[in-house]
Amino acid sequence: MANIVASIEYLVHEILLRLPVKSLLRFKCVSKQWLALISEPKFCHLHTLHLYRTSRVFPSALLVAPSLSPTCPIIPLKFKNVSDSFKFHNVKVPKGTVIQTFNGLLLIQRITSQGLSVVHEYFVCNPTTNQSVLVIFPTQQLIKLISLFICFEPLKSPHYKLVSIRLKNYKSLSDMTNIFLSPNIVDPDCVVNVYSSETSSWSEPGFTFTSPVDKPPSQNDNVYFNGSLYWHIKSLKKCIYLDLSTQSFKTCPMPLHIEDKTVMNFCESGGHLYLVLRSRFASDISIMELNEEGFEWSLIFHENLSLNPVLSLPFCVVKQENDEDSMVVVFVNFKTMSCNLMNSSLEDLSGYCPHLLNRARAVVYQHYQNLSFVPPAKDNCKLVFFCFLVRIRRDK
Amino acid sequence: MAEKASESSNSISLNTVDGKIFKVSPTIANQMQTIQSLIKAYDSSRVISLPHVNAFHLSKIIEYLEGKSATTVSAVKEFEAQFMKDLSLKQLKGLLIAVGYLKVNELLELMPKTVAKLIENKSVEFLRKFFGIVNDFTPSEEAKIREEIAWAFDGVDED
């Protein structure tokens, strides 16, 4: 009989691995045993792998990130033909600004003033499982001067990485004032440190590079793609990337003949890298895709969307398994819309999510719903433990 | 026909819990890991008793193993779809247990996939009944989890 019970447990496990995220969240209520199983990091990772292997690595939803909001609306993408499942729902996030999303994990920056000082904090959050953790930096670093990036590739590892980039020779507030006073003589040496959630620690001492611009590469306009962090640097009209495995900086070629175009957005989706361009004197939008070898760009979309000239920043390109479902999310005529890449048909997303009506301060990101585990910070525990020990000694 | 003859001489008799005897060829029997190990343990001339499998489930498993020999991928897919379509949820559950007990590798991928598809939009109450699980949460504990993920309770099928 024990044999039978074990084989059923195995089969239940196999069934659960094949359920969508939404069903699994609901089935946490079935029993304590199921809650424990569905929350277990190993199960969560296996489930994410299963999800990615069957539907490949395509976004499953759009995440709307209003600034300073403790909730973000999620608009599911997969079930377009089912009438009511296109409804949005809210997820809880640490209050702040979403600065990056990657494979279901969000990086959130929170800036608060405490008395006279301004406190910068970062959080890593999986809004699907409602888990979040405060990023802990080595104490000597001035967080305000750091650009932070998150890299998470479930198919390679269940652990995420954070990449921090800061100017090497500026460590205090007075150094920072110098940057503002004389921006032309900034020492462009940067230090890169990498944090791994596997070991809960930062790589020390990190590695140094000389930034091609006079600041550390910006937190905006960056894309993690294929093991490297990419930036499009507007002032240089160049794409550069930091290969994290070889710890080297390289230049990525730009598309040819785009002198009359402005780069509106630089993004990644479903394992492809995209540049969204707009003609300088017309409202044409073109999307270029980098080929697999990483040397050439090809035009995959070109359309006149009669965009509002001022507020028409495209948010993201969303690649789907079937090319006819891929889209670019744009802001047209004061509305957030999805534009199909195959037939250029526009759909008003605010119909699905009222938040978008008042979109002035919201950004739309592609989103991957998965159960990926965000481990609690270990350093915090150590610190508490340490204080506790000190207190015991004093009491003696 | 020659194959049939050799089948009857080597065939293995399986006795289900409801007393029906099935004669299966070694090729079919070898696809059930549990029977494989039982054959090794016992003298092959003996009838193997299966205390946890009834005639309906065993006949279904044999039907699947025999029918799956289609040549093209699409034909196999079509056969699998038809095979699963004919089963009610209750029958599927019994079959799932039989497949798990007999360790039919061929079905260990298809069964969970089919059951997952059928239960993905079901309610928590339906799941408890289906798997025979007792709710061990207190009402307030359950309410707390439900509140946190309220959106996951939208669009659930009626039981």
Side-chain angles (χ1 to χ4, degrees):
Chain A
M1 202 60 207
N3 204 353
I4 280 216
V5 173
S7 75
I8 293 171
E9 267 177 24
Y10 166 78
L11 285 166
V12 167
H13 192 263
E14 290 296 299
I15 293 169
L16 295 184
L17 281 179
R18 288 163 176 80
L19 284 171
V21 169
K22 186 179 171 186
S23 312
L24 278 180
L25 291 176
R26 184 167 68 246
F27 296 157
K28 279 182 172 184
C29 284
V30 166
S31 70
K32 285 183 179 167
Q33 200 197 347
W34 277 43
L35 173 66
L37 174 66
I38 298 169
S39 314
E40 199 203 7
K42 206 174 153 198
F43 173 83
C44 293
H45 181 58
L46 280 176
H47 183 262
T48 305
L49 287 183
H50 214 274
L51 210 65
Y52 277 26
R53 281 188 193 137
T54 47
S55 63
R56 300 201 50 211
V57 201
F58 298 109
S60 58
L62 293 175
L63 176 126
V64 184
S67 129
L68 300 177
S69 163
T71 59
C72 289
I74 303 265
I75 309 172
L77 284 175
K78 285 241 161 109
F79 318 105
K80 251 185 168 172
N81 39 9
V82 182
S83 56
D84 74 337
S85 58
F86 219 150
K87 266 196 295 188
F88 81 100
H89 66 268
N90 281 315
V91 289
K92 277 187 211 153
V93 293
K95 200 171 160 185
T97 309
V98 177
I99 53 170
Q100 205 194 334
T101 71
F102 207 87
N103 274 325
L105 299 188
L106 313 183
L107 184 61
I108 293 170
Q109 183 185 45
R110 181 193 285 173
I111 303 173
T112 44
S113 54
Q114 292 185 356
L116 285 173
S117 61
V118 179
V119 179
H120 286 237
E121 288 169 311
Y122 289 93
F123 296 86
V124 174
C125 164
N126 182 343
T128 311
T129 56
N130 197 9
Q131 286 169 322
S132 57
V133 62
L134 177 71
V135 178
I136 296 169
F137 294 92
T139 41
Q140 73 278 13
Q141 288 185 10
L142 200 62
I143 301 172
K144 264 170 249 187
L145 294 179
I146 282 175
S147 297
L148 194 66
F149 311 92
I150 187 167
C151 316
F152 176 52
E153 289 176 289
L155 287 175
K156 288 187 184 159
S157 156
H159 309 283
Y160 65 83
K161 281 188 176 140
L162 295 168
V163 179
S164 94
I165 302 183
R166 64 191 158 87
L167 287 168
K168 192 180 178 187
N169 299 316
Y170 300 85
K171 284 175 182 152
S172 67
L173 277 177
S174 59
D175 288 344
M176 205 163 123
T177 327
N178 287 339
I179 300 178
F180 286 118
L181 292 177
S182 47
N184 297 328
I185 46 164
V186 172
D187 178 350
D189 280 0
C190 290
V191 182
V192 179
N193 293 90
V194 180
Y195 173 90
S196 158
S197 70
E198 184 173 13
T199 56
S200 298
S201 61
W202 289 91
S203 64
E204 289 291 350
F207 59 96
T208 311
F209 70 93
T210 305
S211 170
V213 274
D214 54 9
K215 304 178 288 200
S218 129
Q219 220 144 233
N220 310 315
D221 301 322
N222 83 84
V223 176
Y224 181 74
F225 172 68
N226 216 357
S228 302
L229 271 171
Y230 282 72
W231 289 269
H232 171 252
I233 298 179
K234 279 188 182 134
S235 57
L236 298 178
K237 293 187 177 164
K238 243 192 201 170
C239 277
I240 56 164
Y241 64 97
L242 172 62
D243 186 328
L244 290 169
S245 53
T246 61
Q247 305 190 338
S248 57
F249 248 94
K250 291 170 189 160
T251 311
C252 167
M254 285 294 277
L256 300 169
H257 314 300
I258 56 161
E259 297 76 21
D260 61 332
K261 294 185 170 76
T262 317
V263 174
M264 303 293 292
N265 203 342
F266 184 48
C267 52
E268 182 273 344
S269 186
H272 297 267
L273 199 61
Y274 299 100
L275 263 177
V276 186
L277 306 156
R278 203 179 90 195
S279 305
R280 218 157 275 175
F281 306 106
S283 47
D284 289 15
I285 275 227
S286 359
I287 299 176
M288 315 282 294
E289 183 184 306
L290 191 68
N291 72 353
E292 281 182 17
E293 289 77 37
F295 296 119
E296 252 175 73
W297 296 84
S298 49
L299 182 73
I300 58 158
F301 177 80
H302 180 92
E303 192 68 29
N304 185 330
L305 291 176
S306 56
L307 299 175
N308 176 303
V310 188
L311 289 165
S312 56
L313 189 74
F315 295 118
C316 54
V317 176
V318 182
K319 170 102 177 135
Q320 293 287 282
E321 193 164 7
N322 298 321
D323 277 337
E324 55 260 45
D325 295 330
S326 297
M327 58 169 96
V328 54
V329 180
V330 285
F331 188 62
V332 192
N333 302 330
F334 300 99
K335 278 178 188 158
T336 304
M337 304 193 118
S338 71
C339 175
N340 188 294
L341 293 187
M342 292 291 270
N343 58 22
S344 309
S345 66
L346 284 166
E347 201 157 359
D348 184 355
L349 292 172
S350 53
Y352 304 111
C353 173
H355 247 277
L356 288 171
L357 289 173
N358 171 25
R359 85 105 238 171
R361 288 184 302 137
V363 182
V364 182
Y365 293 98
Q366 59 179 344
H367 186 52
Y368 298 77
Q369 280 169 308
N370 61 47
L371 299 174
S372 293
F373 181 65
V374 177
K378 276 187 199 151
D379 285 8
N380 235 359
C381 310
K382 260 188 222 157
L383 203 66
V384 172
F385 185 59
F386 181 63
C387 297
F388 184 63
L389 277 181
V390 170
R391 190 174 279 175
I392 291 175
R393 286 213 178 138
R394 276 199 187 148
D395 285 350
K396 273 185 182 172
Chain B
M1 279 301 119
E3 203 190 323
K4 260 273 184 296
S6 73
E7 238 178 55
S8 57
S9 59
N10 292 331
S11 70
I12 293 147
S13 300
L14 304 172
N15 187 9
T16 59
V17 69
D18 41 356
K20 265 200 167 178
I21 293 186
F22 287 78
K23 290 200 170 205
V24 296
S25 70
T27 357
I28 297 287
N30 279 338
Q31 293 183 65
M32 307 182 208
Q33 270 186 54
T34 304
I35 291 178
Q36 244 184 332
S37 55
L38 286 172
I39 293 171
K40 275 179 201 153
Y42 294 104
D43 173 13
S44 59
S45 63
R46 252 177 76 171
V47 175
I48 296 171
S49 302
L50 302 171
H52 305 297
V53 184
N54 72 25
F56 173 74
H57 298 136
L58 187 60
S59 69
K60 273 293 181 192
I61 292 171
I62 295 170
E63 180 193 327
Y64 177 81
L65 292 175
E66 281 175 347
K68 216 200 150 220
S69 52
T71 43
T72 61
V73 178
S74 63
V76 170
K77 270 204 164 158
E78 200 176 301
F79 167 74
E80 286 184 339
Q82 193 55 43
F83 178 81
M84 287 299 169
K85 218 179 95 193
D86 293 342
L87 293 163
S88 72
L89 255 181
K90 204 181 154 198
Q91 288 171 333
L92 263 178
K93 185 173 137 186
L95 189 59
L96 185 71
I97 295 169
V99 164
Y101 169 70
L102 293 173
K103 300 204 179 113
V104 189
N105 285 348
E106 293 280 333
L107 275 161
L108 282 178
E109 168 73 29
L110 182 65
M111 286 296 298
K113 206 168 103 188
T114 313
V115 176
K117 202 83 214 139
L118 283 167
I119 62 170
E120 67 174 37
N121 287 325
K122 298 289 184 192
S123 70
V124 170
E125 291 73 18
F126 182 94
L127 262 269
R128 284 186 193 133
K129 231 170 108 188
F130 185 73
F131 287 107
I133 297 169
V134 180
N135 177 15
D136 52 359
F137 287 114
T138 64
S140 68
E141 281 172 337
E142 191 180 333
K144 203 180 152 230
I145 306 172
R146 278 180 186 256
E147 194 199 315
E148 265 181 30
I149 39 168
W151 68 273
F153 290 85
D154 270 358
V156 174
D157 292 351
E158 280 183 30
D159 294 348

